[in-house]
Structures are given as C-alpha cells and as structure tokens.
Amino acid sequence: MAGTTSQKPQRRMRPCPICSKLSTPDDYPFCSDRCAKIDMNRWFTGSYSIPVVETDDIDDSNIPDE
Ligand SMILES: [Zn+2]
C-alpha cells in the first residue's frame, strides 16, 4: 500500500467569482491579483448593486378571467 502521508490537507477551493477559475491561496477567493482588483473595481463602480427590476405596470384587468 502506498503511503498517503504526502497528502496535503485540502482547503475547500472556491472558483474565482470573476472568471470561475480555481482560486489560489495567495489571492483567495480569487484566482489572481488581477481578478481581485477587478472585483474591487466592481464594488467601487457599483456593479454589485442590486439591479433594478423594472416592472412595467402589470395590469390584471388585461388578463381575461376565465
Ligand atoms: Zn479569476
């Protein structure tokens, strides 16, 4: 039986939220410093704000009542 002593404890790796590559411990939770900066930039530019859902006035009276 081959020993498995060389096995490193694996952290749960998440995919990079920017490009979906595996994140690296150095830049966790991103895959790279670049993606980390992109994420920061998104925060600053407000891209993470909740998108406004435009609900055109849905009028029930237009729906035929069967
Ligand atoms: Zn990435």
Side-chain angles (χ1 to χ4, degrees):
M1 289 296 184
T4 55
T5 51
S6 62
Q7 193 174 17
K8 293 179 182 176
Q10 284 194 335
R11 251 186 237 178
R12 186 179 290 182
M13 300 299 277
R14 291 187 190 177
C16 172
I18 303 301
C19 66
S20 298
K21 289 181 184 176
L22 279 183
S23 58
T24 61
D26 281 349
D27 298 296
Y28 187 85
F30 305 100
C31 71
S32 64
D33 183 55
R34 191 181 175 193
C35 281
K37 284 178 180 174
I38 291 173
D39 184 74
M40 285 272 280
N41 203 38
R42 284 192 183 183
W43 276 100
F44 283 131
T45 55
S47 295
Y48 276 172
S49 59
I50 302 170
V52 178
V53 179
E54 290 185 26
T55 51
D56 287 336
D57 44 322
I58 299 170
D59 199 346
D60 284 333
S61 62
N62 285 338
I63 300 174
D65 190 4
E66 291 198 57

